[in-house]
Amino acid sequence: MQELTGAETIVILTGAGISAESGLGTFRDKDGLWTRYDLSKVATPEGFAENPWAVHDFYNARRANARAAAPNAAHAALVRLQRGWQGRVLIVTQNVDDLHERAGSTGVIHMHGTLEGALCAECGHRWPAPAAMSPGDDCPMCHRQETRPDIVWFGEMPYRMEEIGAALAGADLFVAIGTSGTVYPAAGFAAEAARAGALCIEINAEASAAAGDFARRVIGPASRAVPDFVAELLDQPKRKDAR
Ligand code: NAD
């Protein structure tokens, strides 16, 4: 890897693959969630309008799984990177679990929302999600019964895109971890960061659909590949100082 001083800005994009070894299913892999559920029924505004009970059941089950899961070595390594790197380390995740936060990461951007949030579709009020949500739940603010999970569904605009765009424009290093590179706009982040001059690296179990946008690819399970990569990064400035 080209020499880094430790002061560079790093943007990390994570996907379902980083949580796979915590026991949370990915979407598109063999046996992934989309092979068992119809995406158009559980992850679209139209599916929710048609059968809000089924959609709440789906996310209630996802929430229970996420709460029972624990962060793995890859989440922990990113905490070490955030604490040990002098420059800014921003984590942008497509994941709706909270394993980055439970590992100890801070300032994580959940561009696709979070299982831990409830959202009133009428007034936009947000509050912590209970273990089980249902279409009859009252909004604590406007008291209407239009409660939905605070999840960005297909066809909806991901959260905090302006902030993410600014971070990509200022990134020196962009690292995508455990994402298939098939869901836009996240799938276009590597190309965007590369255009702005960032070195782009992919860590994934296999080369992703966006693999051509990366200058370097690390193929392997996140729980091993991410700690190794973080150790290499944190070691670089020290090696330079020692010369
Ligand atoms: P995806 O299922 O499309 O792709 C996962 C990628 O991770 C694949 O390329 C796969 O090869 C790789 N992978 C699988 N196991 C791995 C491991 N142990 N180590 C490293 N890589 C591994 O997921 P995506 O790209 O994140 O797709 C985006 C959508 O998936 C988002 O909408 C996101 O909200 C959703 N999602 C989130 C969760 C979660 O919150 N844990 C779970 C499933 C899906």
Side-chain angles (χ1 to χ4, degrees), residues 17-163:
I18 198 169
S19 296
E21 290 163 87
S22 292
L24 300 180
T26 60
F27 272 175
R28 284 170 194 76
D29 289 319
K30 189 164 65 65
D31 304 328
L33 288 170
W34 292 150
T35 62
R36 286 178 283 130
Y37 293 92
D38 180 347
L39 182 156
S40 68
K41 292 202 163 40
V42 297
T44 62
E46 295 76 20
F48 186 62
E50 195 184 304
N51 191 346
W53 291 270
V55 174
H56 275 303
D57 282 352
F58 174 76
Y59 287 103
N60 288 341
R62 304 272 77 72
R63 188 177 304 109
N65 288 346
R67 287 184 180 180
N72 65 52
H75 299 100
L78 294 185
V79 178
R80 287 199 293 283
L81 182 62
Q82 277 194 316
R83 292 183 183 159
W85 194 253
Q86 281 167 29
R88 181 181 189 212
V89 179
L90 174 68
I91 299 173
V92 178
T93 188
Q94 298 168 89
N95 293 347
V96 295
D97 66 57
D98 61 352
L99 296 183
H100 283 302
E101 287 85 350
R102 282 203 270 138
S105 276
T106 52
V108 180
I109 295 185
H110 280 270
M111 63 179 290
H112 290 164
T114 163
L115 289 165
E116 290 304 323
L119 168 67
C120 175
E122 280 294 329
C123 75
H125 180 64
R126 288 187 164 82
W127 65 100
M133 291 170 61
S134 87
D137 290 348
D138 244 22
C139 166
M141 187 65 80
C142 72
H143 301 291
R144 279 175 286 196
Q145 296 175 345
E146 295 291 340
T147 297
R148 54 172 280 181
D150 191 7
I151 300 283
V152 177
W153 287 321
F154 288 93
E156 297 183 318
M157 179 61 85
Y159 294 148
R160 300 172 67 180
M161 285 304 294
E162 249 179 64
E163 234 176 297

Side-chain angles (χ1 to χ4, degrees), residues 136-220:
D137 290 348
D138 244 22
C139 166
M141 187 65 80
C142 72
H143 301 291
R144 279 175 286 196
Q145 296 175 345
E146 295 291 340
T147 297
R148 54 172 280 181
D150 191 7
I151 300 283
V152 177
W153 287 321
F154 288 93
E156 297 183 318
M157 179 61 85
Y159 294 148
R160 300 172 67 180
M161 285 304 294
E162 249 179 64
E163 234 176 297
I164 296 170
L168 292 173
D172 300 298
L173 179 62
F174 173 81
V175 189
I177 303 171
T179 174
S180 59
T182 50
V183 178
Y184 281 85
F189 287 175
E192 205 174 323
R195 268 196 306 277
L199 170 68
C200 297
I201 298 176
E202 169 172 84
I203 302 177
N204 209 50
E206 60 190 16
S208 75
D213 295 326
F214 295 93
R216 177 180 160 193
R217 282 188 297 282
V218 180
I219 305 288

Side-chain angles (χ1 to χ4, degrees), residues 224-237:
R224 231 184 29 231
V226 179
D228 287 353
F229 178 72
V230 166
E232 184 188 344
L233 269 184
L234 290 178
D235 208 29
Q236 274 220 9

